[in-house]
Amino acid sequence: MRTSDLRLWNYRPERNVRPCLDGTLCPCSACTVLPRALSRSSSRPSSRSRESRAPCFIAASAKAPWRDSPQSPQKAQTPEPHARASANTMVLPASIALLLSLLPVAADAAAAAAAAAAAAAMDPTERETLFRVMEAVSSDRDWRVESPDPCGAPWPGLECKPAADAAARMHVTRLDFGVEPNPTCKDTASFPPEVFSLPHLQSLFFVDCFTNPAAATTLTLPAPGANLSAASGLQQLSIRANPALSGTMPPALASLRALQVLTISQNGLVRGEIPQGIGDLTSLVRLDLSYNSLSGPVPSQIGQLKSLVGLDLSYNSLSGAIPSRIGELRQLQKLDLSSNNLTGGIPDAVANLTSLTFLALSNNGLTGHFPPGISGLRNLQYLIMDNNPMGVPLPSELGSLARLQELRLAGSGYSGPIPEAFGQLASLTTLSLQDNNLTGPIPAALSRLGRMYHLNLSNNALGGAVPFDGAFLRRLGGNLDLSGNSGLCLDDRSVLRDGGVGVGACRGGGDGDTPSSSPRTSSGSRAPGRGVLTTTGSLLCLPSPACVAVCCLFALMNEHALY
């Protein structure tokens, strides 16, 4: 035995420690203890007694000689020759010990890899359905050959998740088409109704996909009860910007009860009425059917969608009245019914939509007064109602909407003065009141709206001096339009020199409210005004004898001045 081996075996360890191969002390719990029945012909321990708690390895009998031998300590420190040979045989290299200790770890890793491989496997029927969908829409690659295991190596636009079943297989949960890096759509792409047969699909997107007019395709869904029940978990469906997609709104949509977001928008060939069963989709949070060719009424069943936050039915050909049940959507924040053929008045129930921030009703045939409780829409930020034949005075209640940022009421036949209360709209950035029949002066309080950057009051019958100072006029610049108001005039002539805002200068540069250009008559010519200076410097007078004489004298003086 080597000297180091003697030193190792002669060492009397303390309690709970034993000598290790490198000469250090290891806790007993950290070392592997070999049994006494170890073969002399092999340094490998029996499989029944292997332990793998640390890479330190010692040899010991059932009763350690330094603890339980009857010999005296002095004699025990000098082992017999056969004991020394046995010790040499029983001590194993540290590398073998380390290898043995790692065997269980490798076994665990192999088991985990096998479990992962099993989890990545897809149901064969689901995989076949996915391949048929991909082949109908995209030709980016040979999907079957290049992606035989879609969920094992998913492409952009495909998401898979494991199911909570015993098989622990991966399932398709999301498909995106049309916008890179997602799969692009081929020129002959057709809408694949079998996509709704994917049993675990949660999100489905076709964006800018069906665009070839020569290969128009139809929006179809499986008949209710025929495989559509497999898509009962679908939460988000977006079919947007597909000009070659035709057909009607499928009534089977009402079967997708888990839908939270439904967007069928900017598909100009999609026509027909909104299915009444839309009210069964009670989980809907956002419904966008804008920019299609839908017709018929707005179904009152929409009032059943109590969780709805956004409703956009704009740019269709919907007709009839706005249903009063729309006032039951207490969570609604956006309501856009603009650019349809809606008639009648604004339902009083709209005043119940206290969460509303965006209201757009432009380009319809709406008439009458605003709802009496509209001042209660405290969260409203955008009120857009251009081009409706309202034919009533502007309601002063709108001045109570403290958060209002844009107020657009152009081309709607409003009459009377601009309410002074509009000067209280401190958050207002845009005010568009052009092409109405408004009269009277511009409220001076509008000049104190420090956030205003766009003001259009053109083509009305407003009069008097413009109450805006030079700083206000220069701040708005080209975003200020006061033209077409023959009775308005401007005190600050410097603004006129800089290009003007569509009105002339007041007489005397600010000491009156008479414009420098006379109002237009019904024939289009200027009517004579009292003491108004024209752009040529001549004086226009009322037709009294004294005024006529003075005018003639000025005319003669001007003629002689020319020569």
Side-chain angles (χ1 to χ4, degrees), residues 351-368:
N352 298 330
L353 305 178
T354 54
S355 299
L356 208 61
T357 62
F358 183 96
L359 175 60
L361 302 173
S362 298
N363 302 311
N364 281 291
L366 302 176
T367 58

Side-chain angles (χ1 to χ4, degrees), residues 423-443:
Q424 302 172 12
L425 300 173
S427 300
L428 201 64
T429 62
T430 299
L431 178 60
S432 298
L433 301 177
Q434 69 270 22
D435 301 319
N436 284 295
N437 300 317
L438 301 175
T439 58
I442 299 174

Side-chain angles (χ1 to χ4, degrees), residues 137 174-186 189 191-192 203-211 236-245 263-267:
V137 177
R174 178 177 178 132
L175 274 176
D176 287 75
F177 292 96
V179 177
E180 293 183 352
N182 303 322
T184 58
C185 302
K186 58 186 180 182
F191 189 85
S203 301
L204 177 60
F205 297 83
F206 293 98
V207 179
D208 196 24
C209 188
F210 311 108
T211 60
Q236 189 169 4
L237 174 60
S238 181
I239 305 173
R240 181 164 49 87
N242 298 285
L245 184 64
T263 300
I264 302 179
S265 175
Q266 303 174 46
N267 309 292

Side-chain angles (χ1 to χ4, degrees), residues 374-435:
I374 195 167
S375 59
L377 303 182
R378 301 292 185 180
N379 294 306
L380 195 63
Q381 299 177 27
Y382 300 89
L383 177 55
I384 304 174
M385 279 195 59
D386 300 317
N387 302 319
N388 284 283
M390 300 293 286
V392 295
L394 288 173
S396 60
E397 290 84 0
L398 297 180
S400 301
L401 304 177
R403 296 187 179 183
L404 201 62
Q405 298 180 27
E406 291 194 16
L407 178 58
R408 299 178 181 268
L409 304 174
S412 298
Y414 292 107
S415 59
I418 300 174
E420 289 283 345
F422 283 14
Q424 302 172 12
L425 300 173
S427 300
L428 201 64
T429 62
T430 299
L431 178 60
S432 298
L433 301 177
Q434 69 270 22
D435 301 319

Side-chain angles (χ1 to χ4, degrees), residues 422-426 428 445-452 472 475:
F422 283 14
Q424 302 172 12
L425 300 173
L428 201 64
L446 294 184
S447 64
R448 296 191 290 271
L449 299 180
R451 298 185 180 181
M452 181 83 72
F472 182 93
R475 174 162 60 88

Side-chain angles (χ1 to χ4, degrees), residues 86-333:
S86 175
N88 279 331
T89 306
M90 296 172 63
V91 177
L92 296 179
S95 58
I96 297 178
L98 177 61
L99 215 62
L100 292 174
S101 68
L102 292 178
L103 283 177
V105 178
D108 293 342
M122 292 180 63
D123 178 83
T125 302
E126 184 177 355
R127 182 170 57 246
E128 176 62 24
T129 301
L130 176 62
F131 284 144
R132 290 203 309 269
V133 170
M134 299 307 299
E135 290 166 352
V137 177
S138 179
S139 59
D140 287 353
R141 67 176 80 167
D142 187 335
W143 300 99
R144 295 176 185 270
V145 174
E146 298 182 41
S147 303
D149 184 12
C151 286
W155 55 80
L158 171 66
E159 288 185 8
C160 298
K161 292 181 180 178
D165 52 25
R169 285 177 166 172
M170 299 293 287
H171 297 283
V172 178
T173 59
R174 178 177 178 132
L175 274 176
D176 287 75
F177 292 96
V179 177
E180 293 183 352
N182 303 322
T184 58
C185 302
K186 58 186 180 182
D187 286 342
T188 58
S190 59
F191 189 85
E194 59 267 30
V195 72
F196 296 100
S197 300
L198 293 171
H200 297 269
L201 192 64
Q202 297 176 1
S203 301
L204 177 60
F205 297 83
F206 293 98
V207 179
D208 196 24
C209 188
F210 311 108
T211 60
N212 185 6
T217 184
T218 304
L219 174 60
T220 55
L221 272 73
N227 294 329
L228 192 58
S229 59
S232 58
L234 191 63
Q235 300 175 10
Q236 189 169 4
L237 174 60
S238 181
I239 305 173
R240 181 164 49 87
N242 298 285
L245 184 64
S246 62
T248 60
M249 291 288 295
L253 282 172
S255 302
L256 303 175
R257 301 296 178 86
L259 273 181
Q260 299 179 20
V261 177
L262 175 57
T263 300
I264 302 179
S265 175
Q266 303 174 46
N267 309 292
L269 299 180
V270 175
R271 61 193 185 279
E273 297 187 0
I274 301 174
Q276 294 185 359
I278 200 80
D280 295 335
L281 303 178
T282 54
S283 297
L284 271 184
V285 176
R286 300 188 184 277
L287 175 60
D288 184 357
L289 304 179
S290 62
Y291 289 90
N292 292 302
S293 298
L294 302 177
S295 57
V298 177
S300 61
Q301 289 83 355
I302 282 182
Q304 300 171 205
L305 307 179
K306 307 298 185 183
S307 300
L308 208 60
V309 172
L311 174 60
D312 190 347
L313 305 179
S314 62
Y315 289 89
N316 283 287
S317 298
L318 302 173
S319 57
I322 300 173
S324 60
R325 289 196 64 186
I326 213 163
E328 300 177 21
L329 306 178
R330 301 301 180 91
Q331 305 299 320
L332 200 63
Q333 298 178 15

